[in-house]
Amino acid sequence: MSDSNALVLGGGGVTGVAWEIGVLLGLQTRGIDLTTAGLMVGTSAGSVVAAQIAGGTALSELYAKQLEPVKKRPHRTLSKVTLLRYGWILWRAKDAADLGARMGRLALAAKTQTEAERRPVFEALLEGGSIEVMLDENVALSEIHRSADALWSLLVLCQ
């Protein structure tokens, strides 16, 4: 591990996971190995990739898993009513700021999954059976915070 380098990975859902793994493997095969960074920080999809790398899973193995048939996982869909609400907001918005404010109000009013409902999705992505399997003294997992303004989680991996 290099103490002078950091790897920062962003979000992007399942597409972000696949894209980040592919880019990291592509760079590694060309002699640029970013998995040796002394600090790894990931948000959302990036936290999943960073946790797998920090847990010692080789990029080639992660890439091979991306090519396997998709396993059925819990998911959520948007109802027709929700889609109509989005359309109504787009139609009624006066400008970009108004659109953002309307979307924000809709997001804050949304019914979200509990941690207990969402946790199996991340455990399936990590394929460790439990998130705790991935944690050791080099990994810190923040709590999921909910306030009037935001619902967020961040996984920070550091040496």
Side-chain angles (χ1 to χ4, degrees):
M1 294 228 170
S2 170
D3 291 335
S4 63
N5 294 319
L7 176 61
V8 179
L9 300 169
V14 291
T15 303
V17 170
W19 187 86
E20 289 172 356
I21 290 169
V23 168
L24 290 170
L25 180 62
L27 290 169
Q28 187 180 61
T29 59
R30 286 157 184 80
I32 304 169
D33 187 5
L34 299 178
T35 64
T36 62
L39 173 68
M40 294 186 190
V41 179
T43 299
S44 193
S47 68
V48 173
V49 175
Q52 291 172 322
I53 292 169
T57 307
L59 286 172
S60 57
E61 183 180 340
L62 294 174
Y63 184 80
K65 287 180 183 178
Q66 290 298 312
L67 300 177
E68 292 176 1
V70 176
K71 297 175 185 172
K72 187 168 175 89
R73 289 191 275 256
H75 69 282
R76 294 182 53 118
T77 58
L78 294 175
S79 69
K80 290 178 183 177
V81 171
T82 300
L83 291 173
L84 287 171
R85 285 182 180 149
Y86 285 135
W88 179 254
I89 286 172
L90 287 168
W91 185 64
R92 296 283 296 159
K94 296 173 183 81
D95 54 30
D98 185 43
L99 174 63
R102 289 172 185 263
M103 284 293 201
R105 285 192 296 274
L106 182 63
L108 289 172
K111 294 179 184 175
T112 59
Q113 289 179 312
T114 65
E115 181 181 348
E117 293 169 322
R118 192 70 183 146
R119 189 178 182 104
V121 174
F122 287 98
E123 289 177 344
L125 289 172
L126 294 172
E127 293 190 32
S130 171
I131 291 174
E132 280 75 21
V133 170
M134 300 299 296
L135 302 178
D136 62 23
E137 68 278 358
N138 295 326
V139 180
L141 177 64
S142 77
E143 305 251 343
I144 294 178
H145 301 277
R146 184 181 178 125
S147 69
D149 298 322
L151 174 64
W152 57 273
S153 65
L154 175 67
L155 179 65
V156 177
L157 298 118
C158 55
Q159 184 167 344

